[in-house]
Amino acid sequence: MNRKDFMKNSAILGGASILPLNNVFTQNVTENGIDKLVDIEGNFIQNPLPYNTNFLEPHMDEETLHLHFKFHHGGAVKGANKDLAKVKFHLKSGDLDQVDLWTRKLAYHFSSHVLHSIFWSNLSNKKTEPRTELLKQIEKDFGSFNTLIGYISKIAKSVEGSGWGILGYQPYSASLTLLQCENHQKLTQWGVIPLLVIDVWEHAYYLKYKNKRADFVDALLEIINWDNVAERFEIAKKLVK
Ligand code: MN3
């Protein structure tokens, strides 16, 4: 991102214009302030990782990050494009026999694309903590930052099967809320905008952490980029104004 684009995005972020130029999220925001996940023709696109594949060592090993980004996230993007093409094909042909199948697949693949795109930007290689407006909202909705950490940790570790622990902004109640998402698309609340997502599919940790999902979640919670979560919180509030 060049300086001009950065200033444009910073203007959208309002008070967040003091963010450093190398902030990982500012590389991927659009003029609307949310992640750009489609090209000009509406095809789903995967943005490059905002860091090298060894950036999250030792918390997330390089091989896992490479495989996860390229094949799991990348596969979801390919899948979503195929699903959308199939939906359009069936709508055009007028034969709707298969359209329910591709609609379900699109919900699964595109939700995976959204969550993975947020996930990469949520991580850092150093310890940070929420400040200012985000911290105030956390204290209002959960009591304290420590309580939130305990809550999201429990939610993420105890997902049944594959899924995500998610902190989101719920515009209908103007509050933060947690979701224990199964697969990529189940157990949501309508309207929630994800701010922080923790991938607990086995592909996210099995090479390094084996069966110890809880150890992986504990390690990830040490490297959350709370500045990124705070940016997402500010954008979420602006989007629904
Ligand atoms: Mn994953």
Side-chain angles (χ1 to χ4, degrees), residues 68 72 116 164 199 201 203:
H68 193 172
H72 293 279
H116 280 106
W164 300 74
D199 190 340
W201 282 62
H203 65 231

PDB file of all heavy atoms in Angstrom, residues 68 72 116 164 199 201 203, ligand 1:
ATOM      1  N   HIS A  68      -1.544 -24.517   5.642  1.00  0.00           N
ATOM      2  CA  HIS A  68      -2.844 -23.985   6.038  1.00  0.00           C
ATOM      3  C   HIS A  68      -3.293 -22.876   5.071  1.00  0.00           C
ATOM      4  O   HIS A  68      -4.417 -22.885   4.572  1.00  0.00           O
ATOM      5  CB  HIS A  68      -2.727 -23.444   7.476  1.00  0.00           C
ATOM      6  CG  HIS A  68      -4.036 -23.143   8.134  1.00  0.00           C
ATOM      7  ND1 HIS A  68      -4.117 -22.814   9.468  1.00  0.00           N
ATOM      8  CD2 HIS A  68      -5.310 -23.109   7.668  1.00  0.00           C
ATOM      9  CE1 HIS A  68      -5.396 -22.595   9.774  1.00  0.00           C
ATOM     10  NE2 HIS A  68      -6.129 -22.757   8.708  1.00  0.00           N
ATOM     11  N   HIS A  72      -5.548 -25.092   2.604  1.00  0.00           N
ATOM     12  CA  HIS A  72      -6.848 -25.075   3.293  1.00  0.00           C
ATOM     13  C   HIS A  72      -7.604 -23.775   2.976  1.00  0.00           C
ATOM     14  O   HIS A  72      -8.732 -23.816   2.489  1.00  0.00           O
ATOM     15  CB  HIS A  72      -6.652 -25.281   4.795  1.00  0.00           C
ATOM     16  CG  HIS A  72      -6.139 -26.652   5.115  1.00  0.00           C
ATOM     17  ND1 HIS A  72      -6.955 -27.755   5.175  1.00  0.00           N
ATOM     18  CD2 HIS A  72      -4.876 -27.100   5.341  1.00  0.00           C
ATOM     19  CE1 HIS A  72      -6.223 -28.835   5.445  1.00  0.00           C
ATOM     20  NE2 HIS A  72      -4.956 -28.462   5.542  1.00  0.00           N
ATOM     21  N   HIS A 116     -10.725 -17.212   7.509  1.00  0.00           N
ATOM     22  CA  HIS A 116      -9.264 -17.339   7.356  1.00  0.00           C
ATOM     23  C   HIS A 116      -8.622 -15.983   7.047  1.00  0.00           C
ATOM     24  O   HIS A 116      -7.543 -15.673   7.567  1.00  0.00           O
ATOM     25  CB  HIS A 116      -8.914 -18.353   6.256  1.00  0.00           C
ATOM     26  CG  HIS A 116      -9.011 -19.779   6.716  1.00  0.00           C
ATOM     27  ND1 HIS A 116     -10.033 -20.611   6.336  1.00  0.00           N
ATOM     28  CD2 HIS A 116      -8.228 -20.513   7.536  1.00  0.00           C
ATOM     29  CE1 HIS A 116      -9.867 -21.804   6.906  1.00  0.00           C
ATOM     30  NE2 HIS A 116      -8.774 -21.777   7.636  1.00  0.00           N
ATOM     31  N   TRP A 164     -14.408 -22.797  15.068  1.00  0.00           N
ATOM     32  CA  TRP A 164     -13.726 -21.556  15.418  1.00  0.00           C
ATOM     33  C   TRP A 164     -14.282 -20.993  16.722  1.00  0.00           C
ATOM     34  O   TRP A 164     -15.492 -21.084  16.967  1.00  0.00           O
ATOM     35  CB  TRP A 164     -13.975 -20.498  14.336  1.00  0.00           C
ATOM     36  CG  TRP A 164     -13.518 -20.846  12.963  1.00  0.00           C
ATOM     37  CD1 TRP A 164     -14.105 -21.735  12.100  1.00  0.00           C
ATOM     38  CD2 TRP A 164     -12.379 -20.309  12.267  1.00  0.00           C
ATOM     39  NE1 TRP A 164     -13.402 -21.770  10.919  1.00  0.00           N
ATOM     40  CE2 TRP A 164     -12.342 -20.902  10.992  1.00  0.00           C
ATOM     41  CE3 TRP A 164     -11.405 -19.370  12.608  1.00  0.00           C
ATOM     42  CZ2 TRP A 164     -11.370 -20.611  10.045  1.00  0.00           C
ATOM     43  CZ3 TRP A 164     -10.424 -19.066  11.675  1.00  0.00           C
ATOM     44  CH2 TRP A 164     -10.402 -19.691  10.406  1.00  0.00           C
ATOM     45  N   ASP A 199      -8.910 -20.386  14.817  1.00  0.00           N
ATOM     46  CA  ASP A 199      -9.135 -21.602  14.029  1.00  0.00           C
ATOM     47  C   ASP A 199      -8.739 -22.815  14.862  1.00  0.00           C
ATOM     48  O   ASP A 199      -7.575 -22.954  15.239  1.00  0.00           O
ATOM     49  CB  ASP A 199      -8.266 -21.521  12.750  1.00  0.00           C
ATOM     50  CG  ASP A 199      -8.594 -22.609  11.743  1.00  0.00           C
ATOM     51  OD1 ASP A 199      -9.187 -23.639  12.132  1.00  0.00           O
ATOM     52  OD2 ASP A 199      -8.236 -22.431  10.566  1.00  0.00           O
ATOM     53  N   TRP A 201      -9.622 -26.014  13.776  1.00  0.00           N
ATOM     54  CA  TRP A 201      -9.595 -27.217  12.944  1.00  0.00           C
ATOM     55  C   TRP A 201      -8.239 -27.901  13.176  1.00  0.00           C
ATOM     56  O   TRP A 201      -7.224 -27.227  13.394  1.00  0.00           O
ATOM     57  CB  TRP A 201      -9.705 -26.834  11.462  1.00  0.00           C
ATOM     58  CG  TRP A 201     -11.091 -26.475  11.006  1.00  0.00           C
ATOM     59  CD1 TRP A 201     -11.858 -25.447  11.463  1.00  0.00           C
ATOM     60  CD2 TRP A 201     -11.847 -27.136   9.994  1.00  0.00           C
ATOM     61  NE1 TRP A 201     -13.058 -25.430  10.798  1.00  0.00           N
ATOM     62  CE2 TRP A 201     -13.078 -26.449   9.890  1.00  0.00           C
ATOM     63  CE3 TRP A 201     -11.613 -28.236   9.162  1.00  0.00           C
ATOM     64  CZ2 TRP A 201     -14.079 -26.841   8.988  1.00  0.00           C
ATOM     65  CZ3 TRP A 201     -12.598 -28.614   8.256  1.00  0.00           C
ATOM     66  CH2 TRP A 201     -13.818 -27.928   8.182  1.00  0.00           C
ATOM     67  N   HIS A 203      -6.178 -29.070  11.164  1.00  0.00           N
ATOM     68  CA  HIS A 203      -5.136 -28.651  10.215  1.00  0.00           C
ATOM     69  C   HIS A 203      -4.376 -27.418  10.725  1.00  0.00           C
ATOM     70  O   HIS A 203      -3.287 -27.121  10.262  1.00  0.00           O
ATOM     71  CB  HIS A 203      -5.720 -28.392   8.812  1.00  0.00           C
ATOM     72  CG  HIS A 203      -6.685 -27.240   8.703  1.00  0.00           C
ATOM     73  ND1 HIS A 203      -7.927 -27.347   8.127  1.00  0.00           N
ATOM     74  CD2 HIS A 203      -6.589 -25.946   9.085  1.00  0.00           C
ATOM     75  CE1 HIS A 203      -8.551 -26.184   8.156  1.00  0.00           C
ATOM     76  NE2 HIS A 203      -7.747 -25.307   8.739  1.00  0.00           N
TER      77      HIS A 203
HETATM   78 MN   MN3 B   1      -8.197 -23.319   8.860  1.00  0.00          MN
END
